[in-house]
Amino acid sequence: MKWNDFFKDVLEKVKEKRLIPDPKGLIGWSCSYIPLEIIEALNFIPIRVIAQTNGEIGDAYLDPNFCPYIKAIMGDMITNKYDYISGYILTNSCDGMKRLFDLLRFHQKSSFAFLLDVPHKVDNSSILFFKEKLKEMISAFEEKFSIRMDENDLIESIQNANQTRRFIRVLFSLQGRGYPPLRHSEIMEIIKYAFDTERLIFNESIKIFIEYLQKQSQIPIHNDKRILITGSLFVTIDIIRLIEELGAEVAFTDLCMGGRVLEDVNLDRDPLLSISRSYLEKFPCARMLATELRCQRLMQEIERNRIKGVIYYTLKFCDPYLFEAPYIIEQLRKKDIPVLLLEGEYSSRVPEAMRTRIQAFLETID
Amino acid sequence: MNKTNPFLRFLIKNPSSYRILKPLLELFNLREKEPYRIWLRFLIDILIDAFGKKRKAVIWMNSMTPTEIAYAFDAIPIMPEVIASIVSNIGLSGRFLSISEGKLSTDTCSFHRCILGLAMDNLLPRPTVIISSSNICDGANKFYHYLSSFYQCPHLFIDVPYDESESSLKYLIFQLEKIFKDLSEILSIPIDQNRIYKIISNSNHSRSLLEEINKMRQTIPSPFPGSEGLSYLLGMNFWSHGSERAIEFYLALKRFIKMMTNFGKAYKNHERMRILWLHQIRPYYQTEIFKILQRHGAMVSFEEGNYLYWPPLEVKNPIGSIAKKILSNIWQGPLEKRLNAISEMIKDYSINGVIHFSPWGCRQGTGASSIIGDFLKENGIPFLLLPGDSIDPNNYSAGQTRTRLEAFLEIVV
């Protein structure tokens, strides 16, 4: 039995019986710095834009030396695969995203489009600035859809989102539980459902799943080949499966659909300021000017998870991760932590050359 | 790749070398245009100061960060990206690109890869502090931060907001005020309001001269070549505003162009087509691009890198107006800003065709090229996207470039 299939069954059953008020629509989003709580408080369902691999179509609009994920989104949008969404929110996460935003606007791929300006650094002034930008995002929604956001809805939304994050943290802590043991790749498959399922349905489903799993025994796994994966958007879970098939265990994934979505919003008197602060202060992505902090957090996870090797995975042409790689790799090597740098396409397939490199890397780890 | 011989390194980093070189360069370039000679003097004097023992503070900055900040502290701004273009121009970039090859992917910006090679070879004046802004690319943010750890010096970062709203201006002003305070502390130099006023006045003077120069360049036939606009004119634009040398330079350039326009002289005869060059840069190693254009009577009449996008700075509000300068950058924010500027340039410079240079490794500049191409097509302006690289000759294909240019020029005529 595959645990992610089991979870999928649970999810379907919950969907059947749970009545959720009709949302106003679906909003596509592209970056883990976009507070989904706000979208949900406005009664929309956020859907992560996980483009199908239509890079060839995107080539007609963007240069060949462009992020393959961005080209894939462009391909999907231009072929109307996202026609069912009411709008989308992108961020200025990178040069490519800013240009994608321009392209989508110029090709009029939705009646509602918003670019959320996320600061690159974290201090009191940027937190206040980000709060202002969140207010502008809310105003854009309110104006476009003739709605008003209620602060109580936002508070409830934050609490629901925090619950999701708590469940996901518990899920990660249950890695190895059950028979066959719950694997990291399966956890990542389950987390993917969080990105395109109505939250309360996901929360209920994962709660049932966790309760079931907690009753299962934990089979001790003596696997010393514990790997940490860090990097940019990482569509393919196939790489994690490959690592598992080759006899290693993925213990932590610092990815925007993995370890970077685990931290709660610390709610205080000002919910919007709370969101701003918590989102900016979370485990930083390389697009933030927080290289030393990122490195420090990685080292903490390496120690906590008894990591024996690190795979630094970046999409091709991803400047934030490519330019951060030298510092991170230097620091890892100073601590004698083996590291493998991989550059990949936005593809569900693991190329043979990459498979060979991963295999060779794992063989060097004691 | 072997690093530079220690004796050669000693010569390169010795200010006396440049003191000897200076009159030799003057002699060698006697027949060159006066602004070009001023540019060389400017560079040499900067290097003499930057490598000197009793030197002033050396502040490394990326290209779009206002140098007025450095001049306000009587510091020496060093623009590594401009240095990389000079190294490429003298045919040496390949060496330094090889040195940095193991560190940075060859898919990243070749300016930064070359600079890293120069830094790893210990050939650059050591920075006291690095100031960079997120104008206009991601790569610069991370790269200059990496350099600050490489050189163990502070990195002051200007996080430029996406739009020009009140909240964005407020955030930027706050950051600049903090940077001035931090710089004062790091350099142990008090903030001198009189000096700041002087720098602002200098900057406005050079700005107004640039405005006049840009206006004169609208003359038909083109009085000044875009190839030189993309080299030392752009270099001065990035490096000198706020300094007195900038005023000297722009005055000389104005005199030269005025002389050309007064006598109806073109920089090359038989101008048949007027071309607008898009992207801030060009290949800096030797290529045939401009020769091919000139052979066909195509003159690069203007280049967007020298488009004057910022309003005059305000003496009574220096930091606020520097913030407005940063925010008004046409390559920052929504593409409409850049498109409006392109529209204006096409009209003002009577442009017949547009070449958009597309360097490998540059996402900020090339990402918009399809929209620009569509926009120009709708307006009946022939457009060529020209792939290449500014610093890395390995990413340049002479044959392909020639074919594309010639095909394009046939349409423009």
Side-chain angles (χ1 to χ4, degrees):
Chain A
M1 176 193 59
K2 288 191 175 166
W3 286 109
N4 44 298
D5 288 338
F6 179 74
F7 176 77
K8 196 176 165 190
D9 287 340
V10 171
L11 190 66
E12 291 307 318
K13 288 193 172 91
V14 170
K15 274 184 190 172
E16 273 168 29
K17 69 174 172 81
R18 192 177 172 107
L19 292 168
I20 303 283
D22 278 340
K24 288 203 164 38
L26 304 171
I27 296 289
W29 61 278
S30 65
C31 170
S32 63
Y33 280 92
I34 295 170
L36 306 183
E37 292 89 335
I38 291 176
I39 300 172
E40 288 162 348
L42 290 160
N43 200 20
F44 285 89
I45 295 180
I47 301 285
R48 177 87 198 222
V49 175
I50 301 182
Q52 294 171 34
T53 51
N54 273 339
E56 297 90 23
I57 299 173
D59 279 338
Y61 299 89
L62 290 159
D63 280 23
N65 61 339
F66 237 75
C67 170
Y69 170 58
I70 287 171
K71 282 202 274 189
I73 297 179
M74 188 63 203
D76 272 12
M77 291 286 205
I78 214 78
T79 52
N80 304 319
K81 286 193 172 59
Y82 281 94
D83 268 6
Y84 59 91
I85 61 174
S86 309
Y88 55 84
I89 303 172
L90 304 183
T91 63
N92 59 337
S93 49
C94 61
D95 295 331
M97 274 297 172
K98 285 184 259 187
R99 294 289 85 87
L100 177 67
F101 185 65
D102 289 326
L103 276 164
L104 294 176
R105 284 184 306 114
F106 276 79
H107 289 280
Q108 293 172 322
K109 293 324 286 182
S110 179
S111 59
F112 179 70
F114 189 84
L115 186 102
L116 180 62
D117 191 352
V118 181
H120 287 88
K121 56 185 184 180
V122 187
D123 56 32
N124 285 333
S125 68
S126 69
I127 289 169
L128 289 172
F129 171 73
F130 191 42
K131 180 188 167 183
E132 291 303 309
K133 293 299 152 188
L134 293 175
K135 275 163 85 169
E136 286 172 23
M137 184 174 85
I138 292 168
S139 299
F141 265 100
E142 288 176 338
E143 195 182 309
K144 176 68 190 168
F145 297 104
S146 305
I147 51 177
R148 270 258 159 287
M149 192 178 78
D150 186 285
E151 192 174 271
N152 291 327
D153 289 341
L154 183 61
I155 292 170
E156 190 183 331
S157 186
I158 292 170
Q159 289 164 342
N160 291 337
N162 280 348
Q163 195 170 49
T164 307
R165 293 178 192 113
R166 274 195 288 278
F167 283 136
I168 293 175
R169 290 197 298 271
V170 169
L171 192 60
F172 274 117
S173 74
L174 294 174
Q175 184 171 326
R177 188 69 72 114
Y179 187 78
L182 176 68
R183 305 205 303 183
H184 200 93
S185 56
E186 291 173 308
I187 296 173
M188 296 293 282
E189 290 276 12
I190 292 167
I191 291 174
K192 267 172 91 174
Y193 287 108
F195 296 124
D196 61 12
T197 304
E198 198 280 329
R199 189 180 295 282
L200 296 178
I201 291 177
F202 179 82
N203 283 355
E204 187 175 331
S205 307
I206 199 167
K207 181 170 181 262
I208 293 169
F209 180 79
I210 285 171
E211 282 169 359
Y212 179 85
L213 200 53
Q214 281 171 331
K215 291 177 190 152
Q216 311 303 307
S217 54
Q218 173 111 35
I219 296 170
I221 299 171
H222 298 291
N223 191 341
D224 284 341
K225 289 198 186 200
R226 295 171 63 80
I227 302 295
L228 181 147
I229 303 180
T230 177
S232 54
L233 178 72
F234 190 71
V235 171
T236 177
I237 292 167
D238 286 353
I239 291 183
I240 302 178
R241 278 198 209 99
L242 171 65
I243 293 167
E244 290 165 348
E245 280 162 24
L246 291 170
E249 188 187 348
V250 175
F252 187 82
T253 38
D254 162 41
L255 302 167
C256 52
M257 289 169 67
R260 286 204 289 274
V261 296
L262 299 180
E263 293 171 57
D264 288 349
V265 169
N266 296 317
L267 192 51
D268 61 27
R269 277 173 307 183
D270 184 341
L272 211 53
L273 187 64
S274 306
I275 286 176
S276 173
R277 185 182 305 279
S278 298
Y279 269 76
L280 289 183
E281 287 180 349
K282 68 182 177 123
F283 198 137
C285 159
R287 66 84 64 182
M288 299 296 280
L289 203 82
T291 307
E292 289 83 3
L293 177 61
R294 251 182 66 71
C295 196
Q296 204 181 327
R297 296 285 294 263
L298 280 173
M299 294 300 185
Q300 282 167 0
E301 293 302 334
I302 286 168
E303 195 177 318
R304 201 162 63 89
N305 291 283
R306 295 173 285 118
I307 299 296
K308 291 295 170 71
V310 173
I311 292 180
Y312 190 109
Y313 181 94
T314 167
L315 285 174
K316 281 185 81 67
F317 312 117
C318 177
D319 284 330
Y321 277 88
L322 286 171
F323 273 103
E324 185 145 282
Y327 180 85
I328 301 282
I329 289 171
E330 271 163 28
Q331 299 308 308
L332 290 171
R333 288 193 175 141
K334 274 184 193 166
K335 301 253 181 194
D336 293 322
I337 298 167
V339 55
L340 172 67
L341 172 64
L342 293 174
E343 281 181 62
E345 295 287 347
Y346 182 79
S347 167
S348 56
R349 201 181 58 83
V350 183
E352 204 52 46
M354 191 180 285
R355 187 192 171 93
T356 307
R357 289 189 67 203
I358 293 172
Q359 193 166 9
F361 174 68
L362 293 175
E363 283 168 10
T364 65
I365 294 173
D366 296 326
Chain B
M1 169 70 65
N2 287 334
K3 296 217 175 147
T4 301
N5 172 283
F7 179 65
L8 192 53
R9 182 179 296 113
F10 167 76
L11 287 178
I12 289 169
K13 297 184 79 171
N14 194 318
S16 300
S17 306
Y18 299 98
R19 287 190 190 101
I20 296 167
L21 189 60
K22 191 172 171 180
L24 293 174
L25 276 177
E26 284 282 352
L27 204 60
F28 188 73
N29 290 292
L30 264 176
R31 290 181 181 220
E32 293 292 340
K33 301 179 188 64
E34 195 197 350
Y36 178 68
R37 287 184 280 124
I38 296 172
W39 155 249
L40 289 177
R41 266 180 247 140
F42 171 79
L43 275 177
I44 296 285
D45 287 342
I46 287 233
L47 290 171
I48 290 171
D49 283 343
F51 283 125
K53 280 200 169 46
K54 288 181 189 174
R55 60 177 206 175
K56 301 175 189 173
V58 170
I59 301 182
W60 282 29
M61 305 175 101
N62 66 322
S63 303
M64 300 276 176
T65 301
T67 45
E68 290 89 343
I69 300 172
Y71 290 123
F73 285 89
D74 198 21
I76 306 159
I78 290 288
M79 296 265 160
E81 285 139 354
V82 179
I83 293 177
S85 69
I86 296 165
V87 167
S88 181
N89 192 244
I90 58 176
L92 293 176
S93 55
R95 174 185 180 75
F96 301 105
L97 290 166
S98 302
I99 291 174
S100 67
E101 203 172 300
K103 289 271 191 193
L104 284 174
S105 164
T106 50
D107 290 328
T108 55
C109 172
S110 53
F111 277 95
H112 298 144
R113 290 191 285 124
C114 182
I115 295 164
L116 184 59
L118 287 161
M120 288 168 73
D121 204 4
N122 191 15
L123 289 175
L124 296 171
R126 191 176 189 86
T128 316
V129 61
I130 294 176
I131 303 177
S132 72
S133 69
S134 56
N135 266 0
I136 44 176
C137 69
D138 293 327
N141 298 346
K142 308 302 294 197
F143 177 65
Y144 281 92
H145 194 68
Y146 177 71
L147 284 176
S148 77
S149 75
F150 183 89
Y151 282 109
Q152 295 292 295
C153 71
H155 176 210
L156 303 180
F157 175 67
I158 305 172
D159 186 13
V160 183
Y162 180 76
D163 60 31
E164 296 180 64
S165 61
E166 274 308 307
S167 60
S168 295
L169 184 62
K170 193 172 160 191
Y171 176 50
L172 192 48
I173 289 172
F174 181 87
Q175 291 179 74
L176 288 171
E177 284 170 351
K178 186 164 188 306
I179 279 179
F180 269 75
K181 284 189 192 126
D182 288 346
L183 260 183
S184 174
E185 204 177 295
I186 292 166
L187 305 179
S188 303
I189 297 174
I191 296 175
D192 180 348
Q193 290 297 342
N194 289 331
R195 184 167 177 88
I196 292 174
Y197 297 150
K198 177 83 184 122
I199 299 308
I200 297 293
S201 299
N202 287 348
S203 181
N204 282 344
H205 192 171
S206 56
R207 182 201 172 277
S208 74
L209 288 167
L210 179 61
E211 193 171 25
E212 290 182 72
I213 287 163
N214 283 354
K215 185 114 181 105
M216 287 193 289
R217 288 181 68 188
Q218 294 172 14
T219 313
I220 298 170
S222 310
F224 184 75
S227 53
E228 292 182 33
L230 287 158
S231 65
Y232 62 90
L233 174 51
L234 193 66
M236 285 301 275
N237 220 355
F238 285 148
W239 206 328
S240 70
H241 286 291
S243 70
E244 277 161 17
R245 188 58 64 84
I247 299 167
E248 186 192 347
F249 171 82
Y250 287 108
L251 275 170
L253 185 56
K254 179 185 164 184
R255 272 195 301 272
F256 170 78
I257 295 179
K258 201 169 165 60
M259 183 267 302
M260 297 287 280
T261 56
N262 282 349
F263 290 104
K265 284 164 99 170
Y267 80 85
K268 281 286 177 206
N269 292 326
H270 72 273
E271 176 177 295
R272 292 165 64 222
M273 301 168 242
R274 293 169 66 84
I275 302 294
L276 174 67
W277 183 279
L278 298 185
H279 203 298
Q280 300 90 351
I281 50 182
R282 51 167 267 200
Y284 289 101
Y285 44 87
Q286 301 305 315
T287 69
E288 285 187 300
I289 292 172
F290 296 97
K291 286 191 185 129
I292 293 171
L293 289 173
Q294 283 166 21
R295 259 205 309 270
H296 288 80
M299 307 302 164
V300 175
S301 304
F302 197 67
E303 57 292 335
E304 79 168 321
N306 287 313
Y307 177 82
L308 185 57
Y309 59 80
W310 69 95
L313 303 179
E314 299 157 46
V315 173
K316 291 196 174 146
N317 180 22
I319 290 181
S321 55
I322 290 174
K324 286 178 190 164
K325 175 178 179 178
I326 293 172
L327 280 182
S328 59
N329 189 315
I330 58 167
W331 302 286
Q332 158 71 21
L335 188 63
E336 284 84 343
K337 279 164 74 169
R338 193 178 170 204
L339 282 178
N340 289 340
I342 291 171
S343 241
E344 200 182 298
M345 284 182 263
I346 287 171
K347 181 169 149 288
D348 288 348
Y349 294 90
S350 311
I351 296 298
N352 306 116
V354 172
I355 294 174
H356 191 310
F357 183 53
S358 176
W360 188 261
C362 180
R363 259 59 78 176
Q364 62 80 16
T366 62
S369 57
S370 71
I371 301 177
I372 294 170
D374 288 345
F375 169 76
L376 292 172
K377 210 194 304 188
E378 280 163 27
N379 289 281
I381 308 278
F383 171 75
L384 169 69
L385 188 66
L386 189 68
D389 199 286
S390 289
I391 302 295
D392 189 352
N394 288 330
N395 284 334
Y396 172 72
S397 163
Q400 230 188 65
T401 301
R402 186 182 313 120
T403 307
R404 282 177 185 245
L405 279 172
E406 286 172 352
F408 166 69
L409 293 170
E410 278 172 25
I411 304 167
V412 178
V413 171

